[in-house]
Amino acid sequence: MNAKGRVFKYGDNVDTDVIIPARYLNSSDPAELATHCMEDIDTEFVKKVQKGDIIVADKNFGCGSSREHAPIAIKASGVSCVIAETFARIFYRNSINIGLPIIECPEAAKAIEAGDEVEVDFDSGVITDVTKGLSFQGQAFPEFMQKIIASEGLVNYINSKN
Amino acid sequence: MGMTMTQKILANAAGLPEVKAGQLIMAKLDLVLGNDITSPVAIKEMDKMKVNGVFDKDKIALVPDHFAPNKDIKSAEHCKCVREFARRNKITNYFEMGEMGIEHALLPEKGLTVPGDVIIGADSHTCTYGALGAFSTGVGSTDMAAGMATGEAWFKVPSAIKFNLIGKPSKWVSGKDVILHIIGLIGVDGALYRSMEFTGPGVAELSMDDRFTIANMAIEAGGKNGIFPVDEKTVQYLNEHATRDYKVFEADPDAEYDEEITIDLSSLRPTVSFPHLPENTHTIDEIHDMQPILIDQVVIGSCTNGRIDDLRIAAKVLEGHKKTKDMRLIIIPATQAIYMQAMEEGLIKTFIEAGAVVSTPTCGPCLGGYMGVLAAGERCVSTTNRNFVGRMGHVDSEVYLASPAVAAASAITGKISCPCELGL
């Protein structure tokens, strides 16, 4: 499994309130949530994001609330992967559970810049910055997590096993 | 090697004699919780699962509190979805408006959370019940769905930071100041993936409401859970509230901790978190030396600080005073029982005479939902838990996190203030 796309770059402590502000949580429709994704930190994101694009950020990405609407909004906006130095734990769990691939790699988070073309190989955990010609070793997904992501989330994965 | 308090609870729930940090376990759940924002997503996920209803109708709690009473048509649809699910599955602990409260104040009050429990909730402040010696942690809606269906959840066993509390807090220093001080010390990811275990002789100096406030904000340091030992005050609380038997766990004397931090409660001062992160803390003395920080709104309430002790402190400060003319002072008791008690004690009268708006329980303003949304350029001193960009409304508004004492004093002076500035 691979992801490839252009990078949107953010800093430390990107919280779930800026990923999807609570004023839009009266909806749980992924497509509607996606239209407000990252709105309070980057008004250009929704206008510019294309299918396959990648978010790269520094530490503690997804901190704050447990709203699953946050990874849902990111996934529904077309983002194929989030790379960060570290993730807040509830966001990490939620992302895997809904089938949004996320990967921790401090070196990649530091070196990759906005607009770079980046490729991620989920089997090996290798992250390649095609623009810069650099490669980084991120944490590879264990097999069960890959299967959850490939099934588009935990529920489908559980159903496919039964 | 011994186990931490959290590890012992998890080992028990997993049916294992021992667990170690980093180990993946499957644990039995004593309670699964959701609110009106997270439950509809969980219900939708559960509908997709090939299961026959919920694992135990008595071990699920559904509390419409965020945008309830319904703030708009979409919120009404969400609440309706939760209500119908509760009815369909005969959920014992569904709390309709008028019986409800803010989930993390309500469930301990109803005796549904007891020591030794393993609790997951689709709300990040589920960590509150650690005040009672339970393991409780926030999860997302899909985990909630799986928990409701199977009664189990997988966990990675956390390592821990031990906070050794010593000394006695001075006047106007509360649980809120303790936890804001700690978050300022270790940062918003200082306890990432880990337990925060509070221990030491200082624990006895903290009321149960102080402990709920401290455990509640463990998530604001990135923690997986916050947990307190069970002592006389806990037992007294449980005697008044608990609806079932419980098991008390203690950390082993030789338990391994990543770090040990000593906090002298007597040295703490009223503390305020500046925008836009809870770790941006300043003491009231530092603020005193700055240009006055003028404010437009004060909110006293939420799962962090909407309990009876919080309201009593606010009333003590507000008694005989009035808010400044242009101030909006919003006070929200966290549950119906707290509301009633505040009324019987005359606190509500004090609030209204001081010029406050008093509302039925709701999370509303904390997350910029309703009942106190901020306009561009406005500043709010709030007893809530987060001050992120846009948290309470406009992206250009600001939230300062503080204790009920500081919030109440600030409503009277119009700037961030300590009650001591009022001669109290």
Side-chain angles (χ1 to χ4, degrees):
Chain A
M1 257 177 71
N2 277 24
K4 190 174 184 177
R6 218 166 25 110
V7 166
F8 288 85
K9 183 81 192 271
Y10 302 104
D12 288 339
N13 304 315
V14 173
D15 61 76
T16 52
D17 277 280
V18 294
I19 296 171
I20 183 71
R23 57 185 177 274
Y24 303 121
L25 297 186
N26 55 6
S27 169
S28 49
D29 173 42
E32 193 177 337
L33 293 170
T35 63
H36 300 293
C37 189
M38 310 305 277
E39 187 173 293
D40 282 358
I41 192 177
D42 179 4
T43 48
E44 295 297 300
F45 177 82
V46 170
K47 295 176 207 159
K48 291 185 178 164
V49 68
Q50 286 172 18
K51 196 168 168 51
D53 284 351
I54 290 172
I55 290 176
V56 181
D58 296 324
K59 62 178 184 154
N60 204 26
F61 187 90
C63 63
S65 118
S66 67
R67 62 189 71 155
E68 208 157 286
H69 312 64
I72 289 172
I74 291 174
K75 190 176 180 218
S77 71
V79 167
S80 63
C81 180
V82 185
I83 301 166
E85 189 178 328
T86 53
F87 290 94
R89 58 161 286 278
I90 304 178
F91 182 88
Y92 190 92
R93 219 177 149 107
N94 286 348
S95 298
I96 301 299
N97 283 345
I98 64 137
L100 171 69
I102 64 174
I103 188 161
E104 288 191 338
C105 183
E107 298 78 18
K110 196 170 277 179
I112 296 170
E113 291 178 294
D116 287 0
E117 187 81 14
V118 165
E119 195 168 359
V120 184
D121 181 333
F122 299 126
D123 300 324
S124 63
V126 171
I127 300 164
T128 308
D129 186 327
V130 181
T131 309
K132 290 195 165 56
L134 296 170
S135 280
F136 311 92
Q137 182 63 54
Q139 200 185 16
F141 286 115
E143 199 186 337
F144 82 94
M145 279 193 182
Q146 283 213 43
K147 283 186 180 158
I148 293 173
I149 289 166
S151 314
E152 298 272 309
L154 180 66
V155 171
N156 294 335
Y157 173 64
I158 290 173
N159 285 340
S160 70
K161 282 203 308 180
N162 288 340
Chain B
M1 187 55 72
M3 291 187 278
T4 65
M5 188 173 171
T6 297
Q7 289 166 354
K8 283 176 95 166
I9 294 172
L10 288 175
N12 179 64
L16 298 169
E18 190 186 41
V19 296
K20 286 189 167 58
Q23 188 177 342
L24 287 169
I25 57 157
M26 191 60 87
K28 290 213 176 316
L29 300 172
D30 297 290
L31 191 69
V32 179
L33 156 76
N35 58 50
D36 54 308
I37 287 184
T38 56
S39 302
V41 179
I43 291 164
K44 214 190 290 178
E45 291 303 312
M46 216 183 127
D47 285 344
K48 290 187 215 159
M49 287 182 194
K50 296 165 189 163
V51 290
N52 269 335
V54 299
F55 83 105
D56 187 335
K57 68 181 180 54
D58 298 328
K59 291 187 176 178
I60 290 164
L62 298 173
V63 189
D65 57 358
H66 277 58
F67 293 164
N70 312 337
K71 83 176 179 92
D72 54 25
I73 294 168
K74 284 179 172 177
S75 308
E77 296 291 343
H78 274 175
C79 288
K80 187 178 172 206
C81 161
V82 178
R83 185 179 301 116
E84 287 177 351
F85 176 84
R87 205 179 288 156
R88 204 160 60 237
N89 289 280
K90 301 186 168 53
I91 302 295
T92 315
N93 298 302
Y94 166 72
F95 296 95
E96 189 52 84
M97 269 143 265
E99 299 153 5
M100 58 72 122
I102 295 174
E103 47 196 339
H104 308 307
L106 183 72
L107 301 191
E109 180 188 290
K110 295 284 182 191
L112 297 174
T113 57
V114 295
D117 274 0
V118 172
I119 301 167
I120 61 168
D123 186 280
S124 60
H125 294 107
T126 300
C127 50
T128 309
Y129 319 124
L132 292 168
F135 171 81
S136 61
T137 193
V139 295
S141 298
T142 300
D143 276 325
M144 180 193 168
M148 286 198 295
T150 65
E152 291 184 330
W154 66 265
F155 297 104
K156 192 164 155 182
V157 176
S159 62
I161 306 177
K162 180 177 179 176
F163 292 89
N164 185 31
L165 309 183
I166 58 166
K168 187 179 173 177
S170 57
K171 198 176 179 187
W172 304 122
V173 171
S174 67
K176 184 61 163 287
D177 303 293
V178 177
I179 191 63
L180 291 182
H181 171 78
I182 288 173
I183 296 165
L185 198 66
I186 67 173
V188 292
D189 64 346
L192 194 57
Y193 302 116
R194 298 187 280 181
S195 300
M196 298 170 78
E197 294 207 0
F198 301 97
T199 179
V203 170
E205 305 293 341
L206 299 168
S207 70
M208 284 315 297
D209 284 0
D210 280 328
R211 299 180 202 182
F212 282 123
T213 302
I214 294 171
N216 172 275
M217 287 189 73
I219 180 69
E220 261 55 70
K224 182 164 191 154
N225 68 315
I227 196 163
F228 279 85
V230 175
D231 66 4
E232 280 173 31
K233 280 188 187 168
T234 328
V235 171
Q236 195 191 332
Y237 183 92
L238 292 161
N239 287 343
E240 290 164 17
H241 296 273
T243 52
R244 55 193 162 89
D245 292 339
Y246 54 87
K247 194 170 170 188
V248 175
F249 292 85
E250 287 175 12
D252 289 326
D254 61 342
E256 194 180 9
Y257 293 92
D258 286 353
E259 247 179 287
E260 283 196 37
I261 300 173
T262 296
I263 307 281
D264 181 358
L265 301 176
S266 69
S267 71
L268 301 186
R269 297 286 295 145
T271 300
V272 178
S273 287
F274 282 32
H276 291 285
L277 278 178
E279 71 184 23
N280 296 338
T281 52
H282 294 276
T283 65
I284 202 74
D285 311 295
E286 290 165 3
I287 295 167
H288 204 72
D289 293 338
M290 299 175 185
Q291 288 291 323
I293 300 165
L294 303 178
I295 51 175
D296 305 286
Q297 178 171 299
V298 165
V299 172
I300 298 173
S302 83
C303 62
T304 309
N305 277 127
R307 298 183 182 81
I308 194 69
D309 274 4
D310 302 316
L311 300 186
R312 285 177 185 147
I313 292 168
K316 203 188 266 183
V317 176
L318 290 167
E319 179 92 66
H321 288 93
K322 268 218 171 294
K323 66 166 186 73
T324 52
K325 190 168 185 309
D326 293 335
M327 176 73 56
R328 289 104 61 184
L329 171 58
I330 300 166
I331 303 181
I332 307 180
T335 68
Q336 290 288 79
I338 295 169
Y339 201 161
M340 187 77 95
Q341 195 173 346
M343 208 152 65
E344 284 166 3
E345 292 182 16
L347 312 182
I348 302 293
K349 185 165 183 281
T350 302
F351 296 153
I352 293 175
E353 282 173 352
V357 168
V358 183
S359 152
T360 194
T362 177
C363 307
C366 172
L367 71 164
Y370 72 134
M371 283 296 297
V373 176
L374 299 173
E378 290 190 329
R379 286 203 192 104
C380 178
V381 172
S382 180
T383 68
T384 54
N385 43 58
R386 288 188 181 130
N387 55 354
F388 299 147
V389 170
R391 171 75 179 179
M392 257 195 179
H394 196 279
V395 64
D396 293 327
S397 61
E398 293 184 343
V399 178
Y400 292 76
L401 304 176
S403 67
V406 168
S410 305
I412 297 166
T413 64
K415 61 186 175 65
I416 299 180
S417 304
C418 179
C420 51
E421 290 169 43
L422 300 164
L424 295 167

